[in-house]
């Protein structure tokens, strides 16, 4: 890691309006991201409260969108796939609950418009992530493959939890897809890196090179899902 990363002061991200909230289990990272985002919007929430509301342990991005809609209407959910994909039934990360998830997920997508959940079917370009995050007027809840998260702060200090989301995912084999939600809160164009909150990481914030994030968010299994929220 270059010395310039050591010089740049990111301490202001510790005080970003979106706070850092830890997930409680191996399935509630998305709820932690919703709780962070809601608090950033001035809406009191907690992982426990959202868990009670959603009553699910297999959570897809469309579930998060409908949950967020209960509190905040001003967001857009971008995805490259409208509904489920049959081939995910054979993916280890999805297979255990895919049959029961499929009907629910497809029904939510079908009713999204009538429920005022704004979905755009497209792969949001990485340049749009940069544009949204540069002025810190938006937050982005993104689905990534946790295997491909490479936090520069963590790797510089060696021994941080972030690279494989620590204890939550130790049972997975090294080549398994691990779906994981994070909240991006900033972009540094000088170093071409994103700043994000990781609910599986004890650190307040993480940083990742834009190219590394682009690989993580485009990995097979993510459907390029992200939710853009205006702060």
């Amino acid at each position: 890691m270059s010395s310039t990363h050591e010089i740049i002061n990111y301490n202001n991200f510790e005080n970003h309006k979106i706070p850092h909230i830890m997930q409680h289990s191996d399935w509630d990272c998305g709820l932690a991201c919703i709780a962070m985002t809601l608090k950033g919007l001035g809406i009191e929430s907690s992982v426990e409260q959202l868990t009670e509301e959603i009553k699910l342990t297999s959570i897809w991005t469309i579930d998060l969108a409908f949950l967020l809609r209960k509190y905040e209407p001003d967001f857009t959910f971008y995805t490259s796939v409208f509904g489920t994909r049959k081939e995910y039934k054979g993916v280890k990360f999805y297979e255990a609950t895919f049959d029961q998830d499929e009907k629910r997920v497809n029904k939510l997508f079908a009713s999204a418009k009538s429920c005022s959940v704004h979905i755009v079917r497209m792969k949001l370009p990485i340049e749009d992530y940069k544009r949204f995050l540069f002025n810190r007027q938006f937050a982005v809840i993104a689905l990534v493959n946790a295997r491909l998260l490479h936090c520069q702060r963590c790797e510089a200090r060696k021994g941080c939890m972030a690279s494989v989301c620590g204890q939550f995912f130790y049972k997975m084999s090294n080549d398994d897809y691990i779906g994981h939600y994070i909240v991006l809160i900033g972009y540094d164009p000088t170093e071409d890196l994103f700043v994000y909150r990781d609910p599986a990481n004890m650190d307040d914030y993480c940083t990742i090179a834009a190219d590394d994030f682009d690989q993580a968010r485009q990995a097979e299994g993510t459907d390029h899902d992200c939710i853009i929220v205006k702060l």
Side-chain angles (χ1 to χ4, degrees), residues 18-169:
I18 290 184
H20 180 246
I21 295 176
M22 292 283 292
Q23 64 189 87
H24 296 174
S25 187
D26 60 354
W27 58 267
D28 59 2
C29 55
L31 299 185
C33 289
I34 293 293
M36 287 189 249
T37 303
L38 289 176
K39 286 201 171 186
L41 293 167
I43 302 169
E44 280 304 311
S45 184
S46 68
V47 176
E48 294 87 351
Q49 174 190 333
L50 297 174
T51 298
E52 180 62 27
E53 284 190 52
I54 202 165
K55 301 185 187 305
L56 296 169
T57 57
S58 176
I59 296 175
W60 293 54
T61 313
I62 188 69
D63 296 311
L64 298 180
F66 269 78
L67 182 60
L68 181 60
R69 178 63 183 81
K70 291 182 179 180
Y71 298 90
E72 171 55 49
D74 189 12
F75 68 88
T76 301
F77 170 22
Y78 292 90
T79 182
S80 59
V81 178
F82 201 86
T84 59
R85 292 172 57 187
K86 288 290 187 183
E87 54 265 43
Y88 285 170
K89 189 172 183 177
V91 175
K92 185 176 181 180
F93 185 82
Y94 292 105
E95 64 182 357
T97 60
F98 185 85
D99 287 339
Q100 52 265 49
D101 288 345
E102 183 179 28
K103 184 176 182 180
R104 180 190 82 253
V105 168
N106 289 337
K107 183 177 180 180
L108 288 175
F109 270 100
S111 63
K113 186 174 182 179
S114 63
C115 294
S116 299
V117 175
H118 187 210
I119 304 177
V120 176
R121 186 176 180 177
M122 67 172 286
K123 180 177 75 173
L124 191 69
I126 193 69
E127 293 304 319
D128 283 352
Y129 279 83
K130 296 176 182 181
R131 178 172 56 83
F132 279 124
L133 292 163
F134 176 68
N135 291 320
R136 304 183 197 178
Q137 295 179 358
F138 294 84
V140 181
I141 300 172
L143 177 60
V144 299
N145 183 350
R147 296 282 182 210
L148 301 177
L149 279 182
H150 301 296
C151 173
Q152 296 175 334
R153 295 184 74 222
C154 300
E155 291 175 356
R157 290 176 300 174
K158 303 188 186 303
C160 169
M161 298 169 60
S163 294
V164 292
C165 299
Q167 61 186 337
F168 294 121
F169 305 121

